[in-house]
Amino acid sequence: MKVLEVKDYHEMSSIASRIIIEKVKSKPDCKLGLATGGTPIGLYKELIQDYRKNGTSYDHVCTYNLDEYVGMDPEDPNSYRYFMEKNLFAHINVPESHIHIPDGTAEFLEAECERYDVELNRGEGVDIQILGIGSNGHIGFNEPGTSFSSHTHIVKLAETTRKANARFFQRLEEVPTHAITMGIASILKAKQILLLVSGIKKAEVMKRLLTTNEIDEQLPASALKKHQNVTILADENALSLVKKAHLKYK
Ligand code: F6R
């Protein structure tokens, strides 16, 4: 894992956008793995700005989102489908038919997980996977204890995750209890992984991830240590508990 320390959220978003734009330009039919949550919003803003200014085209790009809440209609403002539309898709020229997000309203959820894996595995793998990290170390919605060999599956969200995400809802009770998520093995299939981390709330988990050799299912993000091409773009606050000398992964 390569760790790049950046000043702040703005710099993290700007560098991440340059990496994505470069990929889209050099490989116009690339596959992008996308995340939701607060972390990638700045990156998406930068991509939109670039699209408006420089016309970088997403005409042949395919996107694959990490996760979706179970039971959440795509039209619901709290669904990840809606989030992606609002924060990115409505503002760039990615064709609707190239957008892939698990369907949380599917009648047969297990079949939906299988369908999503088939989509993911069609043709070449994801070129760049964007990830955020939960303060408990989750990636996607793979909570601590998830098998590293998991593919797309249904998860029960940890209470800490529901509380962290309650900021997007009116009340905690509205936060769904389950989600569909790409599994750890599905995530690790990406050719390149970009983990974005910003803010003091992520400092503890970054310390755990970067200063120990722990590769353990209790810390889902530690699975990334098994991948050949991971870049962590983390800001000063997120790395504030990691003394440079103690960085085990550079
Ligand atoms: C989102 C996702 C989650 C988030 C993580 C961090 O699609 O899969 O793993 O990346 O919960 O969330 P934020 O960015 O809101 O701190």
Side-chain angles (χ1 to χ4, degrees), residues 9 61 71 136 138 181 194 219 244:
Y9 183 81
V61 170
N136 64 359
H138 74 212
T181 183
L194 203 53
L219 182 63
K244 301 299 160 291

Side-chain angles (χ1 to χ4, degrees), residues 88-115:
L88 184 64
F89 298 151
H91 312 282
I92 60 172
N93 67 336
V94 61
E96 176 79 24
S97 59
H98 291 195
I99 294 170
H100 304 84
I101 301 189
D103 178 3
T105 62
E107 191 181 352
F108 300 104
L109 289 169
E110 294 300 336
E112 173 57 11
C113 293
E114 275 171 38
R115 183 198 67 80

Side-chain angles (χ1 to χ4, degrees), residues 1-8 11-13 15-16 19 39 128-134 137-139 188 192-199 202-203 205-212 214 219-240 242 244 247-250:
M1 298 197 299
K2 192 163 82 183
V3 183
L4 273 182
E5 178 169 351
V6 295
K7 196 166 159 289
D8 53 18
E11 197 182 9
M12 176 195 78
S13 307
I15 295 178
I19 295 171
T39 308
I128 302 188
Q129 174 67 56
I130 301 294
L131 293 179
I133 187 170
H138 74 212
I139 50 175
L188 292 184
Q192 183 181 355
I193 295 177
L194 203 53
L195 172 63
L196 307 181
V197 198
S198 170
K202 306 289 170 70
V205 73
M206 289 314 279
K207 182 176 165 200
R208 197 168 151 204
L209 182 67
L210 296 175
T211 63
T212 70
E214 180 184 358
L219 182 63
S222 66
L224 299 175
K225 293 175 185 174
K226 291 154 34 115
H227 192 280
Q228 293 308 307
N229 191 354
V230 176
T231 303
I232 301 180
L233 272 177
D235 70 10
E236 284 173 11
N237 281 336
L239 291 177
S240 55
V242 182
K244 301 299 160 291
L247 262 185
K248 285 246 163 41
Y249 289 88
K250 300 189 187 179

Side-chain angles (χ1 to χ4, degrees), residues 34-41 65-68 80 130-136 138-142 161 164-165 167-168 181 195-196 198 202:
L34 301 177
T36 58
T39 308
I41 290 181
N65 265 80
L66 283 167
D67 38 24
E68 178 60 285
Y80 283 172
I130 301 294
L131 293 179
I133 187 170
S135 43
N136 64 359
H138 74 212
I139 50 175
F141 272 139
N142 295 289
T161 301
N165 288 3
R167 68 192 195 278
F168 297 111
T181 183
L195 172 63
L196 307 181
S198 170
K202 306 289 170 70

